[in-house]
Amino acid sequence: MPRPISATLHLGAIANNLQVVRRFAPGAKVWSVVKANAYGHGIARVWRSLAQTDGFAMLDLAEAVLLRESGWQGPILLLEGFFQPQDLALLDRYRLTTAVHSDWQLAAIAEARLSAPLEVYLKVNSGMNRLGFAPERLHGVWQQAQGIANIAGMTVMSHFATADGPEGVQQQMATIENAAAAIPLPRCLANSAATLWHPDTHGGWVRPGIVLYGASPSGRWRDIAASGLQPAMTLSSEIIGIQRLKSGDRVGYGGRYGATGAQRIGVVACGYADGYPRHAPTGTPVWVGGVLTRTLGTVSMDMLAVDLAPCPQAELGTEVELWGRRLPVDDVATAAGTLGYELLTALAARVPVASEI
Ligand SMILES: *Cc1c(COP(=O)(O)O)cnc(C)c1O
C-alpha cells in the first residue's frame, strides 16, 4: 500500500471555470494562464480541459514546447518574454507569441533570422514596477517596433497590482490609457481579479489564471463563492494514527499544542513535504469524515494532527480532505497566512495525482 495521500483533479471543474470566465468577459478572447505547471495541476493533465480557450500563457519555454508537442496548435504567449537571444530560434520553430519588456529584446528580434515574423506583446509598466517599458517610452517603442520586419501583429500588455482590493485598477488604467492613447493596438491587461471585478479592463484579451483552478484572486473564498467557479483540486489523505490525550499532554514538534482535558486526536498522512503549509497554526480548518474540524500543533514533514472531538466516529482509515471540494483552499491558506496560489503551486511531486471528470 502506498501512503494514502493523493490529489484528485476535477477536470470538469476546470472546463466549467473557463466557461465562467467567458461569462464575465463575453467580448474578450481568453489566454488561459498555465504557468507554474498549471498552478501545480500539471499542464499535460489539464490543458485538454481548457481546449476551448483562445490561447495559453506561461513563462517557461520548456512548458511552452511541451504544450505544443502535446498537440495544442493555437496561440501560446510567453508572459515574461524570452530570456536570451538564442531562445528566438525556439520561439520561431514553435510559433510562440512573446512579451517584450526591454530594449534588448526588441534588438534581438530585429537581428534574428526567423522563418516568419512573430506576434509581440509590448509590455508597459503602469505602476507595478516589475516588468515593462516606462509609460512615457511606450509610444516611441511602438514606433520603433513598427519598423522591425520580424514583428507581425502587436498588442499592448500591462499587469495590475491591486485589482483584487479596494484600490482597484483606476490609477493604472489611467496610466495605460495615457501612454497608449495614440496607439491603435488591442489591449491585454486583466488578470483573474480584473476579469471578474473590473470589466473596463477587458480589452481584446484577458489573462486569467487562478480562477481557472477554482481559487480566489483575493485569497477569500467568499469573494468568488457565488461566481459558479469550482475547485479543481482536492488534496486528501487518511487518518493513520489515533492518540488519546489527557490534560497537559502535548502534540508534535515544540509541543505547541497542549490538551486541557481528555481528548482524542487523529494523525493524518500529510505534511509540509507534501505541500501542506508548515505555518498553518492550530485551528487551521480540515475536513475529517464529513465533519469540519481543526489541526493541532506544528505540521511535521510527513504528518499533521487533527482534533477528533467534533467527529467521534472517526477512526483509522477515515478520509481526510486537506483542501478541495468540501474545504476551499482559500480557507486553509488564510489560516496559514498565505494564498491559494502558493498552496496549489507547492503541491509536492511525491503526491500521486489522479484525474476525474
Ligand atoms: C500570473 C499572471 C497572470 C494570471 O494571474 P492570476 O491572478 O492567477 O489570474 C496574468 N498575467 C501575468 C503577467 C501573470 O504573471
mmCIF file of all heavy atoms in Angstrom, residues 31 33 35 39 57 59 79-80 123 130 157-160 188-195 206-213 217 341, ligand 1:
data_model
loop_
_atom_site.group_PDB
_atom_site.id
_atom_site.type_symbol
_atom_site.label_atom_id
_atom_site.label_comp_id
_atom_site.label_asym_id
_atom_site.label_seq_id
_atom_site.Cartn_x
_atom_site.Cartn_y
_atom_site.Cartn_z
ATOM 1 N N TRP A 31 -6.646 34.195 -22.759
ATOM 2 C CA TRP A 31 -5.397 33.465 -22.536
ATOM 3 C C TRP A 31 -5.574 32.693 -21.242
ATOM 4 O O TRP A 31 -5.675 33.308 -20.174
ATOM 5 C CB TRP A 31 -4.209 34.418 -22.351
ATOM 6 C CG TRP A 31 -3.724 35.162 -23.554
ATOM 7 C CD1 TRP A 31 -3.818 36.509 -23.763
ATOM 8 C CD2 TRP A 31 -3.018 34.630 -24.681
ATOM 9 N NE1 TRP A 31 -3.224 36.847 -24.959
ATOM 10 C CE2 TRP A 31 -2.720 35.711 -25.550
ATOM 11 C CE3 TRP A 31 -2.608 33.345 -25.046
ATOM 12 C CZ2 TRP A 31 -2.038 35.546 -26.750
ATOM 13 C CZ3 TRP A 31 -1.923 33.191 -26.251
ATOM 14 C CH2 TRP A 31 -1.649 34.279 -27.086
ATOM 15 N N VAL A 33 -4.006 31.029 -18.302
ATOM 16 C CA VAL A 33 -2.645 31.052 -17.765
ATOM 17 C C VAL A 33 -2.335 29.701 -17.113
ATOM 18 O O VAL A 33 -3.044 29.256 -16.202
ATOM 19 C CB VAL A 33 -2.450 32.216 -16.774
ATOM 20 C CG1 VAL A 33 -1.035 32.207 -16.218
ATOM 21 C CG2 VAL A 33 -2.732 33.559 -17.464
ATOM 22 N N LYS A 35 1.007 28.887 -16.196
ATOM 23 C CA LYS A 35 2.382 28.941 -15.684
ATOM 24 C C LYS A 35 2.500 28.070 -14.441
ATOM 25 O O LYS A 35 1.477 27.629 -13.880
ATOM 26 C CB LYS A 35 2.767 30.383 -15.372
ATOM 27 C CG LYS A 35 1.925 31.035 -14.287
ATOM 28 C CD LYS A 35 2.276 32.508 -14.154
ATOM 29 C CE LYS A 35 1.417 33.163 -13.098
ATOM 30 N NZ LYS A 35 1.614 34.635 -13.067
ATOM 31 N N TYR A 39 -0.402 25.985 -12.354
ATOM 32 C CA TYR A 39 -0.639 26.262 -10.930
ATOM 33 C C TYR A 39 -0.613 24.967 -10.105
ATOM 34 O O TYR A 39 -1.426 24.762 -9.199
ATOM 35 C CB TYR A 39 -1.969 26.998 -10.735
ATOM 36 C CG TYR A 39 -1.973 28.449 -11.223
ATOM 37 C CD1 TYR A 39 -1.614 28.771 -12.526
ATOM 38 C CD2 TYR A 39 -2.341 29.501 -10.381
ATOM 39 C CE1 TYR A 39 -1.610 30.087 -12.971
ATOM 40 C CE2 TYR A 39 -2.348 30.828 -10.825
ATOM 41 C CZ TYR A 39 -1.983 31.105 -12.130
ATOM 42 O OH TYR A 39 -1.989 32.410 -12.574
ATOM 43 N N ALA A 57 -1.082 30.890 -21.813
ATOM 44 C CA ALA A 57 0.012 31.787 -21.435
ATOM 45 C C ALA A 57 0.816 31.156 -20.317
ATOM 46 O O ALA A 57 0.265 30.503 -19.423
ATOM 47 C CB ALA A 57 -0.548 33.144 -20.988
ATOM 48 N N LEU A 59 5.312 31.072 -18.601
ATOM 49 C CA LEU A 59 6.612 31.744 -18.547
ATOM 50 C C LEU A 59 7.720 30.910 -19.151
ATOM 51 O O LEU A 59 8.680 31.425 -19.696
ATOM 52 C CB LEU A 59 7.041 31.987 -17.086
ATOM 53 C CG LEU A 59 6.043 32.592 -16.150
ATOM 54 C CD1 LEU A 59 6.646 32.642 -14.766
ATOM 55 C CD2 LEU A 59 5.688 33.971 -16.616
ATOM 56 N N LEU A 79 4.756 35.056 -21.042
ATOM 57 C CA LEU A 79 4.404 36.253 -20.267
ATOM 58 C C LEU A 79 5.620 37.097 -19.877
ATOM 59 O O LEU A 79 5.487 38.298 -19.655
ATOM 60 C CB LEU A 79 3.656 35.840 -18.993
ATOM 61 C CG LEU A 79 2.263 35.251 -19.193
ATOM 62 C CD1 LEU A 79 1.796 34.549 -17.928
ATOM 63 C CD2 LEU A 79 1.274 36.334 -19.596
ATOM 64 N N GLU A 80 6.760 36.479 -19.730
ATOM 65 C CA GLU A 80 7.965 37.245 -19.401
ATOM 66 C C GLU A 80 8.865 37.410 -20.621
ATOM 67 O O GLU A 80 10.005 37.862 -20.499
ATOM 68 C CB GLU A 80 8.754 36.562 -18.269
ATOM 69 C CG GLU A 80 8.028 36.617 -16.938
ATOM 70 C CD GLU A 80 8.814 35.999 -15.787
ATOM 71 O OE1 GLU A 80 9.885 35.403 -16.014
ATOM 72 O OE2 GLU A 80 8.321 36.105 -14.651
ATOM 73 N N LYS A 123 4.978 45.304 -23.426
ATOM 74 C CA LYS A 123 4.574 45.420 -22.024
ATOM 75 C C LYS A 123 4.937 46.783 -21.462
ATOM 76 O O LYS A 123 6.093 47.199 -21.489
ATOM 77 C CB LYS A 123 5.227 44.319 -21.186
ATOM 78 C CG LYS A 123 4.744 44.362 -19.741
ATOM 79 C CD LYS A 123 4.713 43.018 -19.089
ATOM 80 C CE LYS A 123 3.940 43.094 -17.780
ATOM 81 N NZ LYS A 123 4.089 41.892 -16.992
ATOM 82 N N ARG A 130 7.418 45.900 -12.017
ATOM 83 C CA ARG A 130 8.054 44.603 -12.173
ATOM 84 C C ARG A 130 8.673 44.611 -13.570
ATOM 85 O O ARG A 130 9.795 45.057 -13.726
ATOM 86 C CB ARG A 130 7.002 43.505 -11.990
ATOM 87 C CG ARG A 130 7.440 42.408 -11.055
ATOM 88 C CD ARG A 130 6.303 41.487 -10.658
ATOM 89 N NE ARG A 130 5.442 41.052 -11.749
ATOM 90 C CZ ARG A 130 4.506 40.124 -11.638
ATOM 91 N NH1 ARG A 130 4.324 39.511 -10.473
ATOM 92 N NH2 ARG A 130 3.752 39.790 -12.656
ATOM 93 N N MET A 157 0.274 45.347 -23.528
ATOM 94 C CA MET A 157 0.079 44.494 -22.351
ATOM 95 C C MET A 157 0.511 45.242 -21.094
ATOM 96 O O MET A 157 1.489 45.992 -21.111
ATOM 97 C CB MET A 157 0.949 43.253 -22.533
ATOM 98 C CG MET A 157 1.025 42.321 -21.357
ATOM 99 S SD MET A 157 2.234 41.002 -21.743
ATOM 100 C CE MET A 157 2.039 39.989 -20.281
ATOM 101 N N SER A 158 -0.256 45.049 -20.004
ATOM 102 C CA SER A 158 0.193 45.545 -18.703
ATOM 103 C C SER A 158 -0.385 44.631 -17.622
ATOM 104 O O SER A 158 -1.149 43.715 -17.933
ATOM 105 C CB SER A 158 -0.235 46.998 -18.486
ATOM 106 O OG SER A 158 0.559 47.585 -17.475
ATOM 107 N N HIS A 159 0.005 44.849 -16.383
ATOM 108 C CA HIS A 159 -0.404 43.941 -15.299
ATOM 109 C C HIS A 159 -0.764 44.771 -14.072
ATOM 110 O O HIS A 159 -0.077 45.738 -13.760
ATOM 111 C CB HIS A 159 0.760 42.991 -14.994
ATOM 112 C CG HIS A 159 0.377 41.808 -14.154
ATOM 113 N ND1 HIS A 159 -0.600 40.908 -14.519
ATOM 114 C CD2 HIS A 159 0.848 41.363 -12.960
ATOM 115 C CE1 HIS A 159 -0.712 39.969 -13.594
ATOM 116 N NE2 HIS A 159 0.149 40.218 -12.644
ATOM 117 N N PHE A 160 -1.849 44.368 -13.380
ATOM 118 C CA PHE A 160 -2.347 45.150 -12.240
ATOM 119 C C PHE A 160 -1.825 44.630 -10.907
ATOM 120 O O PHE A 160 -1.744 43.422 -10.688
ATOM 121 C CB PHE A 160 -3.875 45.116 -12.214
ATOM 122 C CG PHE A 160 -4.505 45.769 -13.408
ATOM 123 C CD1 PHE A 160 -5.290 45.033 -14.279
ATOM 124 C CD2 PHE A 160 -4.305 47.120 -13.671
ATOM 125 C CE1 PHE A 160 -5.876 45.626 -15.389
ATOM 126 C CE2 PHE A 160 -4.884 47.729 -14.780
ATOM 127 C CZ PHE A 160 -5.671 46.972 -15.646
ATOM 128 N N CYS A 188 -4.272 43.920 -23.673
ATOM 129 C CA CYS A 188 -4.360 42.702 -22.867
ATOM 130 C C CYS A 188 -3.865 43.050 -21.476
ATOM 131 O O CYS A 188 -2.659 43.198 -21.255
ATOM 132 C CB CYS A 188 -3.521 41.583 -23.488
ATOM 133 S SG CYS A 188 -3.509 40.092 -22.467
ATOM 134 N N LEU A 189 -4.804 43.225 -20.534
ATOM 135 C CA LEU A 189 -4.460 43.800 -19.236
ATOM 136 C C LEU A 189 -4.899 42.948 -18.042
ATOM 137 O O LEU A 189 -4.247 42.970 -17.003
ATOM 138 C CB LEU A 189 -5.132 45.182 -19.094
ATOM 139 C CG LEU A 189 -4.952 46.147 -20.274
ATOM 140 C CD1 LEU A 189 -5.801 47.399 -20.066
ATOM 141 C CD2 LEU A 189 -3.489 46.504 -20.462
ATOM 142 N N ALA A 190 -6.009 42.228 -18.177
ATOM 143 C CA ALA A 190 -6.715 41.724 -16.995
ATOM 144 C C ALA A 190 -6.223 40.356 -16.520
ATOM 145 O O ALA A 190 -6.253 39.381 -17.267
ATOM 146 C CB ALA A 190 -8.205 41.646 -17.282
ATOM 147 N N ASN A 191 -5.787 40.279 -15.272
ATOM 148 C CA ASN A 191 -5.590 39.011 -14.570
ATOM 149 C C ASN A 191 -6.957 38.522 -14.073
ATOM 150 O O ASN A 191 -7.994 39.094 -14.423
ATOM 151 C CB ASN A 191 -4.585 39.190 -13.419
ATOM 152 C CG ASN A 191 -4.995 40.300 -12.453
ATOM 153 O OD1 ASN A 191 -6.085 40.873 -12.551
ATOM 154 N ND2 ASN A 191 -4.122 40.606 -11.509
ATOM 155 N N SER A 192 -6.973 37.488 -13.229
ATOM 156 C CA SER A 192 -8.267 36.961 -12.755
ATOM 157 C C SER A 192 -9.098 38.028 -12.060
ATOM 158 O O SER A 192 -10.301 38.160 -12.319
ATOM 159 C CB SER A 192 -8.043 35.820 -11.762
ATOM 160 O OG SER A 192 -7.534 34.681 -12.400
ATOM 161 N N ALA A 193 -8.480 38.772 -11.165
ATOM 162 C CA ALA A 193 -9.239 39.749 -10.369
ATOM 163 C C ALA A 193 -9.874 40.794 -11.274
ATOM 164 O O ALA A 193 -11.055 41.140 -11.117
ATOM 165 C CB ALA A 193 -8.323 40.405 -9.337
ATOM 166 N N ALA A 194 -9.116 41.287 -12.237
ATOM 167 C CA ALA A 194 -9.666 42.302 -13.138
ATOM 168 C C ALA A 194 -10.712 41.683 -14.063
ATOM 169 O O ALA A 194 -11.714 42.321 -14.398
ATOM 170 C CB ALA A 194 -8.542 42.944 -13.948
ATOM 171 N N THR A 195 -10.519 40.443 -14.460
ATOM 172 C CA THR A 195 -11.502 39.765 -15.308
ATOM 173 C C THR A 195 -12.847 39.679 -14.589
ATOM 174 O O THR A 195 -13.907 39.921 -15.170
ATOM 175 C CB THR A 195 -11.012 38.348 -15.676
ATOM 176 O OG1 THR A 195 -9.760 38.463 -16.353
ATOM 177 C CG2 THR A 195 -12.006 37.625 -16.561
ATOM 178 N N VAL A 206 -8.184 38.769 -22.174
ATOM 179 C CA VAL A 206 -7.972 38.708 -20.717
ATOM 180 C C VAL A 206 -6.992 37.566 -20.422
ATOM 181 O O VAL A 206 -6.795 36.679 -21.258
ATOM 182 C CB VAL A 206 -9.301 38.518 -19.945
ATOM 183 C CG1 VAL A 206 -10.189 39.754 -20.112
ATOM 184 C CG2 VAL A 206 -10.045 37.268 -20.421
ATOM 185 N N ARG A 207 -6.376 37.608 -19.232
ATOM 186 C CA ARG A 207 -5.340 36.617 -18.867
ATOM 187 C C ARG A 207 -5.610 36.006 -17.493
ATOM 188 O O ARG A 207 -4.838 36.183 -16.558
ATOM 189 C CB ARG A 207 -3.954 37.270 -18.792
ATOM 190 C CG ARG A 207 -3.400 37.878 -20.037
ATOM 191 C CD ARG A 207 -1.919 38.238 -19.856
ATOM 192 N NE ARG A 207 -1.631 39.039 -18.686
ATOM 193 C CZ ARG A 207 -1.622 40.368 -18.651
ATOM 194 N NH1 ARG A 207 -1.877 41.062 -19.737
ATOM 195 N NH2 ARG A 207 -1.342 41.000 -17.521
ATOM 196 N N PRO A 208 -6.708 35.283 -17.326
ATOM 197 C CA PRO A 208 -6.994 34.709 -16.016
ATOM 198 C C PRO A 208 -6.151 33.469 -15.736
ATOM 199 O O PRO A 208 -5.898 32.660 -16.636
ATOM 200 C CB PRO A 208 -8.473 34.322 -16.131
ATOM 201 C CG PRO A 208 -8.642 33.990 -17.580
ATOM 202 C CD PRO A 208 -7.741 34.937 -18.326
ATOM 203 N N GLY A 209 -5.729 33.338 -14.490
ATOM 204 C CA GLY A 209 -5.002 32.152 -14.054
ATOM 205 C C GLY A 209 -5.750 31.466 -12.925
ATOM 206 O O GLY A 209 -6.483 30.489 -13.140
ATOM 207 N N ILE A 210 -5.642 32.010 -11.729
ATOM 208 C CA ILE A 210 -6.094 31.309 -10.521
ATOM 209 C C ILE A 210 -7.568 30.896 -10.579
ATOM 210 O O ILE A 210 -7.924 29.828 -10.082
ATOM 211 C CB ILE A 210 -5.816 32.181 -9.255
ATOM 212 C CG1 ILE A 210 -5.965 31.377 -7.985
ATOM 213 C CG2 ILE A 210 -6.704 33.422 -9.225
ATOM 214 C CD1 ILE A 210 -4.871 30.385 -7.731
ATOM 215 N N VAL A 211 -8.422 31.711 -11.210
ATOM 216 C CA VAL A 211 -9.844 31.339 -11.213
ATOM 217 C C VAL A 211 -10.116 30.070 -12.023
ATOM 218 O O VAL A 211 -11.094 29.363 -11.760
ATOM 219 C CB VAL A 211 -10.760 32.480 -11.716
ATOM 220 C CG1 VAL A 211 -10.825 33.611 -10.703
ATOM 221 C CG2 VAL A 211 -10.337 32.981 -13.085
ATOM 222 N N LEU A 212 -9.250 29.763 -12.988
ATOM 223 C CA LEU A 212 -9.440 28.530 -13.761
ATOM 224 C C LEU A 212 -9.327 27.308 -12.857
ATOM 225 O O LEU A 212 -9.857 26.238 -13.163
ATOM 226 C CB LEU A 212 -8.411 28.429 -14.884
ATOM 227 C CG LEU A 212 -8.476 29.527 -15.948
ATOM 228 C CD1 LEU A 212 -7.307 29.377 -16.911
ATOM 229 C CD2 LEU A 212 -9.811 29.477 -16.703
ATOM 230 N N TYR A 213 -8.602 27.487 -11.751
ATOM 231 C CA TYR A 213 -8.376 26.382 -10.821
ATOM 232 C C TYR A 213 -9.325 26.459 -9.618
ATOM 233 O O TYR A 213 -9.210 25.694 -8.674
ATOM 234 C CB TYR A 213 -6.897 26.368 -10.405
ATOM 235 C CG TYR A 213 -6.007 26.460 -11.631
ATOM 236 C CD1 TYR A 213 -5.464 27.671 -12.048
ATOM 237 C CD2 TYR A 213 -5.797 25.335 -12.438
ATOM 238 C CE1 TYR A 213 -4.715 27.767 -13.219
ATOM 239 C CE2 TYR A 213 -5.054 25.421 -13.609
ATOM 240 C CZ TYR A 213 -4.512 26.637 -13.991
ATOM 241 O OH TYR A 213 -3.795 26.726 -15.156
ATOM 242 N N PRO A 217 -8.769 35.105 -6.423
ATOM 243 C CA PRO A 217 -7.641 36.032 -6.595
ATOM 244 C C PRO A 217 -7.407 36.901 -5.365
ATOM 245 O O PRO A 217 -6.282 37.369 -5.156
ATOM 246 C CB PRO A 217 -8.039 36.890 -7.800
ATOM 247 C CG PRO A 217 -9.424 36.534 -8.166
ATOM 248 C CD PRO A 217 -9.855 35.336 -7.392
ATOM 249 N N TYR A 341 -2.909 30.442 -4.243
ATOM 250 C CA TYR A 341 -1.861 30.374 -5.277
ATOM 251 C C TYR A 341 -0.654 29.587 -4.762
ATOM 252 O O TYR A 341 -0.093 28.750 -5.458
ATOM 253 C CB TYR A 341 -1.318 31.763 -5.616
ATOM 254 C CG TYR A 341 -2.201 32.754 -6.311
ATOM 255 C CD1 TYR A 341 -3.149 33.495 -5.618
ATOM 256 C CD2 TYR A 341 -2.034 33.015 -7.661
ATOM 257 C CE1 TYR A 341 -3.909 34.467 -6.262
ATOM 258 C CE2 TYR A 341 -2.785 33.978 -8.316
ATOM 259 C CZ TYR A 341 -3.726 34.699 -7.612
ATOM 260 O OH TYR A 341 -4.468 35.649 -8.240
HETATM 261 C C1 LIG B 1 0.255 35.095 -13.271
HETATM 262 C C2 LIG B 1 -0.107 36.122 -14.273
HETATM 263 C C3 LIG B 1 -1.440 36.271 -14.685
HETATM 264 C C4 LIG B 1 -2.572 35.496 -14.059
HETATM 265 O O1 LIG B 1 -2.764 35.943 -12.749
HETATM 266 P P1 LIG B 1 -3.990 35.394 -11.857
HETATM 267 O O2 LIG B 1 -4.015 36.294 -10.686
HETATM 268 O O3 LIG B 1 -3.627 33.994 -11.494
HETATM 269 O O4 LIG B 1 -5.178 35.460 -12.703
HETATM 270 C C5 LIG B 1 -1.704 37.189 -15.683
HETATM 271 N N1 LIG B 1 -0.719 37.936 -16.240
HETATM 272 C C6 LIG B 1 0.578 37.825 -15.845
HETATM 273 C C7 LIG B 1 1.603 38.674 -16.485
HETATM 274 C C8 LIG B 1 0.918 36.928 -14.851
HETATM 275 O O5 LIG B 1 2.195 36.835 -14.471
#
